[in-house]
Amino acid sequence: MLKVILTSLLIVSLSGCGLLFETKPLTQESSAQLKNKKVVVTEPYEIGLSSMTLTDVYLGIFSPDPSGDELQKRYGIKDPIANLKSKVLASWKKDTRFNVSGKKSMDAYTPSVDELTADVSNADFLLDVSSAQMFFTYKIGSFTEYNVKYKAKLQLVDLANKTVVAQKLCDAVSGDDKSYTYDDYLANNAKLLKEALLEASNKCAYELSVAALKS
């Protein structure tokens, strides 16, 4: 059991590497500057599912369990970014009048302002809402119960001076209050796993809207 707990803590620690940055809420002054301005919104790529089972821990690369990529292909599991982004935009538009003037396609996760704003013109601000990680794994200290972890980030950049006026990383968990097993999540074409990812993205949409955009 100690081995499982220590391994789980290591997984959690490593999975967060490179994903943390300081929360910066949108100020009233910055919000007022957005009125009637042109905002480019990123079209992020869909990230892959990471998966960890107890068999992976004990057998390593010899594990017979399917990988996250295999689970996605087998069950048609999607990154819930479309749901997350639409809810953030809908919530934000209630409080701030702005015009979505274009989209920028992304081909990788990045918190870099230079990479986010590269080749963006004829706009005042850029809004990036992207998935950072989705992870299906066993609960720490449990041999049978699993949950779903989902990370997403928001960055709003003033293109005039390439400064971040709002940013936030969300780290949501679905299933901690349930007793679902690995097989439960994958039953009926992974129905519970898909629902858990959607629930986690809804949690992130609320958190990003409130903590970063004050909407």
Side-chain angles (χ1 to χ4, degrees):
M1 175 63 77
L2 179 60
K3 178 181 178 181
V4 172
I5 294 174
L6 291 176
T7 304
S8 299
L9 291 173
L10 177 61
I11 292 167
V12 172
S13 175
L14 292 178
S15 68
C17 289
L19 299 181
L20 297 178
F21 51 90
E22 182 182 358
T23 297
K24 184 176 182 178
L26 185 67
T27 64
Q28 289 185 348
E29 180 181 358
S30 295
S31 181
Q33 292 174 352
L34 277 157
K35 290 184 178 180
N36 301 318
K37 294 297 178 66
K38 295 178 180 179
V39 179
V40 168
V41 180
T42 58
E43 284 289 311
Y45 74 113
E46 291 195 6
I47 65 170
L49 175 70
S50 299
S51 176
M52 177 64 72
T53 67
L54 286 173
T55 324
D56 294 325
V57 173
Y58 289 113
L59 299 183
I61 61 173
F62 302 105
S63 169
D65 295 316
S67 67
D69 287 341
E70 291 173 317
L71 291 176
Q72 277 192 277
K73 292 176 183 177
R74 183 181 302 177
Y75 299 108
I77 298 167
K78 298 287 187 180
D79 177 354
I81 184 59
N83 173 69
L84 171 65
K85 193 174 73 170
S86 66
K87 291 199 171 181
V88 168
L89 280 172
S91 175
W92 193 30
K93 283 183 177 180
K94 291 178 182 178
D95 301 322
T96 308
R97 295 178 182 175
F98 61 92
N99 302 308
V100 176
S101 63
K103 299 176 181 178
K104 178 182 178 178
S105 296
M106 304 296 297
D107 57 9
Y109 171 91
T110 178
S112 165
V113 172
D114 287 338
E115 291 177 356
L116 286 173
T117 59
D119 303 320
V120 177
S121 59
N122 299 319
D124 302 296
F125 292 86
L126 178 138
L127 175 69
D128 175 49
V129 182
S130 300
S131 296
Q133 184 184 67
M134 49 182 186
F135 200 45
F136 175 45
T137 185
Y138 54 89
K139 295 180 184 178
I140 295 176
S142 173
F143 287 101
T144 59
E145 297 178 0
Y146 281 67
N147 61 17
V148 174
K149 297 178 172 62
Y150 177 70
K151 292 180 186 285
K153 59 108 171 172
L154 178 149
Q155 284 177 287
L156 179 64
V157 182
D158 184 338
L159 294 172
N161 48 27
K162 291 190 176 182
T163 58
V164 176
V165 295
Q167 67 178 15
K168 170 70 178 175
L169 179 74
C170 168
D171 191 350
V173 179
S174 178
D176 261 1
D177 58 340
K178 306 290 193 307
S179 297
Y180 292 141
T181 66
Y182 180 85
D183 290 336
D184 288 336
Y185 275 108
L186 298 182
N188 299 317
N189 198 35
K191 181 175 181 290
L192 282 179
L193 179 52
K194 293 172 184 176
E195 289 176 351
L197 284 169
L198 185 63
E199 178 186 356
S201 73
N202 286 336
K203 289 180 180 179
C204 272
Y206 177 78
E207 184 176 337
L208 294 178
S209 295
V210 172
L213 299 176
K214 298 295 182 181
S215 58

